[in-house]
């Protein structure tokens, strides 16, 4: 349970880890000049991406002002994590005196790079944009082998969504219950959308921001009871995994209806999430301040757990959460978390798509989790992830551009003994998405 954030994987982490592909594009001159400027800078791309060419020596000040060196390094590190080291220039085709397209080969794929060179005497680069990466001979089997070799427990599912359900294309342990962290928030979104569809609420309804929690990137430091719309809360909850927005929505629409929605959406073992804990309750029970209540909660059935939560509302508060106890690694991820199988998530995606709610789909698309290059061949791409120490979950709902078919890609990694490698897992899920697009 604990960090109930979208892959810090919340906006902050996922946005930083996923390549921000449209790096910079300043106005490029089309004035005819010697092609050697483009050729020379194109030839340096292997060393640039490998960190052997100084950022300030390669890029014009206009580019440096638009994209700081640290941001560029995050971008290149993300590419290398996913596709290996840069090894060669396959081709460099000029399209003007100082512009052109470069095919930059990495160990596991070929990136298409658009390059513009400035007119100054030092011929530094004014624009660099990666428009896509083609992975060499990738397949579901290759990615599956890497996912299943990770330490701990892993599972994934890639499936086409059909009118009658899902058609699996590739999977590993698709029926196993995994700790999924903030991915559970999709059930909250589903129930909220259902209540809007039923006329009980409107997305434009204004409500007070009534509950606060950790990892509340959207509502951080906002005054209590600030009026916000339901759509704002939904956007925060999904795009940056704001836990204050999440707890506000749970209290507003009710645990019971969300738990019922979980069953209706086809969760195979809903008792694992009953009672549905708020993020603060989960943080509290995992911490050292609640060593007395935790074992009682874990051993209890649904009714006993609900009674414990309700009778200890005055203790299970943000002020009583012991943040220090979360710094040493995974804590009770097998027993105090939010759980779902890959098949559960796929069935949930069917339910979400069937709502035909533009507002719901827009909330899921704010942060697509994988960056613009991976999303380029998809007409629509929605995402929710979840993470805490030892837990990582990523789930995507996409409509393919080529034929407008819908797909779900969902994967989870749990390791109760150690933290998991976020960057590595993002790369693997991104590859699953790329193979699905083909």
């Amino acid at each position: 349970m604990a960090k109930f954030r979208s892959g810090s994987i919340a906006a902050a982490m996922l946005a930083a880890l996923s390549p921000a592909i449209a790096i910079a594009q300043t106005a490029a001159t089309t004035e005819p000049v010697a092609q050697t400027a483009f050729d020379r800078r194109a030839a340096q791309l292997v060393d640039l991406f490998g960190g052997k060419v100084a950022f300030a020596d390669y890029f014009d000040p206009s580019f440096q002002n638009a994209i700081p060196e640290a941001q560029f390094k995050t971008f290149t590190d993300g590419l290398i994590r996913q596709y290996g080291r840069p090894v060669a220039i396959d081709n460099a085709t000029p399209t003007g005196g100082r512009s052109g397209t470069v095919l930059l080969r990495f160990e596991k794929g070929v990136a298409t790079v658009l390059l513009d060179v400035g007119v100054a005497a030092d011929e530094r680069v004014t624009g660099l944009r990666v428009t896509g990466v083609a992975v060499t001979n990738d397949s579901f089997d290759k990615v599956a082998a890497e996912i299943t070799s990770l330490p701990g427990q892993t599972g994934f599912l890639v499936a086409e969504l059909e009118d009658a359900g899902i058609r699996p294309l590739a999977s590993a342990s698709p029926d196993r219950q995994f700790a999924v962290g903030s991915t559970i928030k999709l059930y909250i979104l589903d129930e909220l959308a259902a209540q809007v569809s039923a006329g009980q609420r409107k997305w434009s309804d204004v409500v007070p921001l009534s509950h606060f929690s950790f990892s509340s990137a959207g509502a951080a430091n906002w005054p209590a009871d600030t009026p916000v719309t339901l759509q704002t809360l939904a956007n925060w909850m999904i795009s940056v995994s704001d836990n204050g927005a999440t707890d506000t929505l749970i209290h507003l629409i009710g645990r019971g209806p969300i738990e019922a929605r979980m069953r209706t959406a086809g969760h195979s073992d809903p008792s694992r999430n009953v009672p549905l804990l708020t993020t603060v309750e989960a943080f509290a029970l995992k911490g050292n301040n609640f060593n007395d209540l935790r074992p009682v909660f874990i051993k209890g059935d649904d009714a006993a757990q609900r009674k414990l939560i309700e009778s200890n509302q005055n203790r299970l508060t943000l002020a009583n959460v012991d943040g220090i106890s979360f710094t040493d690694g995974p804590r009770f991820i097998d027993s105090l978390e939010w759980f779902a199988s890959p098949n559960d998530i796929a069935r949930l995606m069917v339910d979400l798509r069937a709502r035909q709610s533009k507002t719901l789909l827009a909330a899921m698309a704010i942060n697509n989790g994988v960056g613009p290059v991976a999303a380029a061949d998809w007409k629509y791409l929605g995402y929710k992830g979840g993470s805490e120490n030892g837990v990582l979950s990523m789930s995507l709902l996409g409509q393919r551009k080529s034929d407008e078919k819908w797909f779900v890609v969902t994967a989870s990694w749990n390791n109760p003994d150690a933290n998991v490698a976020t960057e590595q897992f993002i790369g693997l899920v991104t590859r699953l998405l790329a193979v699905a697009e083909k």
Side-chain angles (χ1 to χ4, degrees), residues 14 37 39 42 72 126 141 159 187 199 262 298 330 334 364 373 393 403 417 426:
L14 259 186
D39 292 339
F72 183 76
T126 57
D141 287 343
Y187 287 104
M262 198 174 301
I298 291 173
D334 295 328
M364 293 178 61
V373 166
S393 173
D403 55 13
D417 300 319
I426 292 172

Side-chain angles (χ1 to χ4, degrees), residues 25-33 95-99 116-120 126:
Q25 190 67 44
T26 58
T29 179
T30 57
E31 178 185 346
V33 293
T95 56
R98 293 179 177 269
S99 301
D116 295 302
V117 181
V119 297
T126 57

Side-chain angles (χ1 to χ4, degrees), residues 247-295:
D247 285 3
T248 295
L249 284 172
I250 292 175
H251 284 278
L252 180 69
I253 65 181
R255 296 182 208 264
I258 299 168
E259 293 162 0
R261 181 60 51 194
M262 198 174 301
R263 297 184 184 94
T264 302
H267 195 293
S268 58
D269 191 5
S271 178
R272 297 295 299 271
N273 303 310
V274 174
L276 181 74
L277 296 177
T278 66
T279 65
V280 165
E281 290 164 351
F283 290 140
L285 286 171
K286 279 178 174 280
N288 290 335
N289 286 345
F290 291 88
N291 290 336
D292 58 334
L293 293 185
R294 183 171 53 250

Side-chain angles (χ1 to χ4, degrees), residues 50-181:
K52 297 178 181 178
V53 173
F55 178 81
D57 291 342
Y58 190 83
F59 289 110
D60 185 81
S62 62
F63 186 99
Q64 296 181 47
N65 290 334
I67 304 296
E69 183 174 4
Q71 184 177 343
F72 183 76
K73 187 176 187 307
T74 297
F75 164 71
T76 56
D77 286 350
L79 282 176
I80 291 170
R81 282 193 299 270
Q82 293 184 37
Y83 306 110
R85 296 180 301 105
V87 293
I89 300 298
D90 280 2
N91 191 29
T93 304
T95 56
R98 293 179 177 269
S99 301
T101 301
V102 185
L103 298 183
L104 173 60
R105 178 169 294 279
F106 291 80
E107 291 175 308
K108 299 178 182 178
V110 178
T112 299
V113 183
L114 303 184
L115 198 65
D116 295 302
V117 181
V119 297
D122 57 14
E123 296 176 337
R124 283 186 285 181
V125 167
T126 57
L128 184 152
R129 184 158 57 97
V130 176
T131 61
V133 181
V135 177
T136 307
N137 299 319
D138 211 4
S139 69
F140 286 134
D141 287 343
K142 289 181 179 179
V143 184
E146 293 186 42
I147 289 177
T148 55
S149 69
L150 296 170
Q153 298 82 43
T154 58
F156 78 92
L157 172 68
V158 179
E160 181 182 346
L161 303 190
E162 300 177 329
D163 292 339
I166 63 172
R167 182 173 71 87
L169 303 177
S171 66
S173 301
D175 292 315
R176 178 172 183 149
Q177 292 291 313
F178 291 94
V180 296

